Amino acid sequence: MSGAIFRIVALAADHDRRPFDSGCVALDHYFQRQVTQDIRRRVTACFVALTQGQRIAGYYTLASASLCLSELPAETAKKLPRYPSIPAVRLGRLAVHRTFHGQGLGGALLADALKRAARAEIAAFALVVEAKDEQAAAFYNHHGFIALSDSPRTLFLPLSKA
Ligand SMILES: CC(C)(COP(=O)(O)OP(=O)(O)OC[C@H]1O[C@@H](n2cnc3c(N)ncnc32)[C@H](O)[C@@H]1OP(=O)(O)O)[C@@H](O)C(=O)NCCC(=O)NCCS
């Protein structure tokens, strides 16, 4: 990562979400307008990277999820019990403010999400993501995520590797 120092913490009421601009309107709007409602309803958790000046440089969301055993690659499925669905954690959204693109923050947020999911007391086999486009899928591929055979935009990374 560059010289910038970030602190990754749970989103709080005094964090200013309004100036957040990742370059992806849907991700920015969700963060500015909807995420707190989802947190209140307990359908998502949100973590932010803060600069030393308390500016939000990036965010990600996590929620529980499941993967169908039959959708997993045979190589992975054969090492798992024959349950129809396998517990997972969904990385719902991940975005970095434009000013900080290309400085390692996206990778650092992803690593933080993996660690957080791996150390949770409730078991989950993998972190799963729904890549919004080819570029996002390439980002996750670059970090070792594996695509489901029938759904190449859905990618997972076993938490045993985190
Ligand atoms: C995608 C995004 C999160 C990446 O964050 P970032 O801070 O710019 O990326 P980083 O600097 O941490 O890159 C980490 C590594 O991923 C690689 N990488 C970044 N984007 C990539 C892409 N689209 N495809 C492949 N690799 C990519 C980098 O080359 C770097 O590799 P290295 O560690 O081997 O040097 C950021 O560009 C963003 O917020 N984009 C808009 C929102 C978005 O598209 N989100 C979708 C979820 S990925």
Side-chain angles (χ1 to χ4, degrees):
M1 214 188 309
S2 73
I5 297 167
F6 301 101
R7 212 161 48 90
I8 302 175
V9 297
L11 176 68
D14 61 341
H15 296 150
D16 187 4
R17 289 172 284 131
R18 288 167 303 178
F20 188 77
D21 173 16
S22 70
C24 172
V25 173
L27 287 168
D28 298 344
H29 279 187
Y30 174 80
F31 185 58
Q32 287 153 354
R33 298 174 189 179
Q34 203 186 320
V35 71
T36 52
Q37 195 174 31
D38 282 359
I39 294 168
R40 270 198 304 278
R41 291 171 168 161
R42 291 193 59 84
V43 295
T44 201
C46 181
F47 301 91
V48 292
L50 297 177
T51 64
Q52 283 176 315
Q54 294 293 102
R55 182 173 170 208
I56 297 176
Y59 82 91
Y60 69 82
T61 64
L62 292 180
S64 60
S66 65
L67 284 164
C68 285
L69 186 66
S70 58
E71 290 173 349
L72 292 171
E75 190 58 27
T76 305
K78 76 178 185 203
K79 296 178 194 145
L80 291 166
R82 308 281 98 199
Y83 303 142
S85 71
I86 299 295
V89 173
R90 182 176 309 283
L91 179 69
R93 290 173 174 86
L94 167 70
V96 170
H97 192 295
R98 274 205 254 214
T99 309
F100 302 98
H101 280 189
Q103 298 176 32
L105 181 57
L109 284 168
L110 187 54
D112 190 79
L114 282 161
K115 285 212 183 72
R116 204 176 289 278
R119 69 170 185 251
E121 289 186 3
I122 298 171
F125 166 67
L127 191 71
V128 58
V129 296
E130 212 63 59
K132 66 177 178 57
D133 54 29
E134 289 298 320
Q135 248 193 315
F139 174 78
Y140 292 114
N141 263 317
H142 179 83
H143 289 89
F145 279 69
I146 305 159
L148 298 187
S149 356
D150 295 339
S151 170
R153 291 268 177 88
T154 309
L155 301 101
F156 71 95
L157 188 69
L159 288 170
S160 56
K161 300 197 165 143

